[in-house]
Amino acid sequence: MRIGEVAGRSGVSKRMLRHYDGLGLVSPSERTSAGYREYSEADFRRLVKVESLRSIGMSLGEIREALEGEPSVAEILAQLEAETEARLEAERALLVRVRSLMSSAPDSVESLLSYLDAVRTFEERGDSARYRAALSVPTGLALVALAQESDPNVIGALQWSIRQDASAEAVLLELLPSLSEQERGRLVELLPDVVPSEVLEAEGSRVAVFELARRGERGVVGALLDLIEQGVDDVEAAELLAGMASGEDVAEIGQRISDASSVEVKLRFVQALAEIPLIEAAELLRELTRSEDRQVALTAEAILGRASGS
């Protein structure tokens, strides 16, 4: 193909094709019998790759490097995706640091230098140095460090330090948009009492459900019943449920007992009734004493007997 044909077929101007040729990026590799240079199909495919990569913002220098070794378009894009994700992660980490610095509001060069020294401590120094620093670092930095810390003693010190700050929840709200999903989950796990309710609701983990229950959020009643049914921390779930259970919740327990396919699940729900005030649970317990399942009936009788004796 002559240059005019390539320009018409690709939409790339002759001027740009000559520029690519001068750079050695896409050059005609064949010659006619008369000595004219022509583009082969392979050259044309390379031109299409170049234009594709230019369309997503790569510079000609980056394209030249990407095309070394004649990789496929899919391979080039996979490499570009990985490099872009790495850059975004680096930018996100920088944003987290900037916001944590802003939240600490350093009011002098000395306080800024102190903050930066604390950052270096958490990045470069040993457990004992991080432990000492954790007791006095600004809350923003403490939250970022906690999301990444692995040493139990340093974690404990950071938790203590953050809980001393009455504004910790507000600082956390400022930082949250910059944190990764994994970092947010870790802070919910380690600091549920500091995390705002809306964040806990979005997280939906067991720890988040339990903290919301402690705050009296009735929206987690279903999740507590699910944990009891699954046998996952069912005793704690039952205790938390008792603090907010209504007649409607007791009716739901009765339905779940009726629907349960195993005795173990039924017994967990019956035992959960023992935590609920008798005024709410008595009617269902009396009904369960007539259950065809002997273990269920005996457990219900025992709960009523203990309640009567007390």
Side-chain angles (χ1 to χ4, degrees), residues 2 15-16 38 48 60 106 120 132 137-138 149 157 160 174 237 239 288-289 294 304:
R2 300 288 295 275
R15 181 172 176 274
M16 184 58 73
E38 287 191 329
V48 171
L60 294 181
R120 286 192 292 272
R132 290 192 298 272
V137 293
E149 183 58 57
W160 178 87
E174 289 181 15
E239 290 172 351
L288 291 171
T289 62
R294 188 61 178 157
L304 283 170

Side-chain angles (χ1 to χ4, degrees), residues 125-165:
R125 298 173 189 167
D127 294 348
S128 60
R130 295 202 311 281
Y131 177 84
R132 290 192 298 272
L135 297 173
S136 58
V137 293
T139 299
L141 176 56
L143 287 163
V144 174
L146 182 61
Q148 302 165 354
E149 183 58 57
S150 59
D151 182 84
N153 293 322
V154 180
I155 288 173
L158 287 167
Q159 289 171 314
W160 178 87
S161 176
I162 292 166
R163 287 180 172 125
Q164 305 315 300
D165 184 356

Side-chain angles (χ1 to χ4, degrees), residues 44-212:
F44 187 80
R45 288 194 296 272
R46 183 176 174 87
L47 173 63
V48 171
K49 289 181 183 178
V50 169
E51 289 301 295
S52 298
L53 296 177
R54 277 193 68 202
S55 72
I56 58 176
M58 291 182 70
S59 69
L60 294 181
E62 290 172 330
I63 293 171
R64 182 197 301 277
E65 292 180 10
L67 292 177
E68 287 181 3
E70 293 296 326
S72 68
V73 172
E75 290 170 334
I76 294 170
L77 292 177
Q79 178 184 349
L80 179 62
E81 179 185 35
E83 292 173 352
T84 303
E85 286 181 346
R87 284 198 297 271
L88 287 173
E89 177 59 26
E91 291 294 326
R92 186 197 63 76
L94 177 60
L95 180 60
V96 169
R97 285 189 186 177
V98 170
R99 285 182 171 165
S100 69
L101 175 56
M102 291 170 64
S103 70
S104 71
D107 54 4
S108 67
V109 172
E110 289 73 18
S111 60
L112 176 58
L113 289 174
S114 176
Y115 174 91
L116 295 175
D117 183 59
V119 170
R120 286 192 292 272
T121 296
F122 281 103
E123 287 184 345
E124 304 169 2
R125 298 173 189 167
D127 294 348
S128 60
R130 295 202 311 281
Y131 177 84
R132 290 192 298 272
L135 297 173
S136 58
V137 293
T139 299
L141 176 56
L143 287 163
V144 174
L146 182 61
Q148 302 165 354
E149 183 58 57
S150 59
D151 182 84
N153 293 322
V154 180
I155 288 173
L158 287 167
Q159 289 171 314
W160 178 87
S161 176
I162 292 166
R163 287 180 172 125
Q164 305 315 300
D165 184 356
S167 66
E169 181 175 323
V171 174
L172 177 56
L173 273 174
E174 289 181 15
L175 286 176
L176 278 175
S178 313
L179 298 175
S180 68
E181 182 178 347
Q182 182 179 359
E183 289 168 337
R184 288 195 298 271
R186 186 160 170 74
L187 288 177
V188 167
E189 195 78 18
L190 295 172
L191 279 177
D193 52 308
V194 175
V195 177
S197 293
E198 59 268 30
V199 178
L200 294 172
E201 290 167 3
E203 182 66 21
S205 65
R206 177 184 53 80
V207 172
V209 168
F210 284 174
E211 179 58 30
L212 287 168

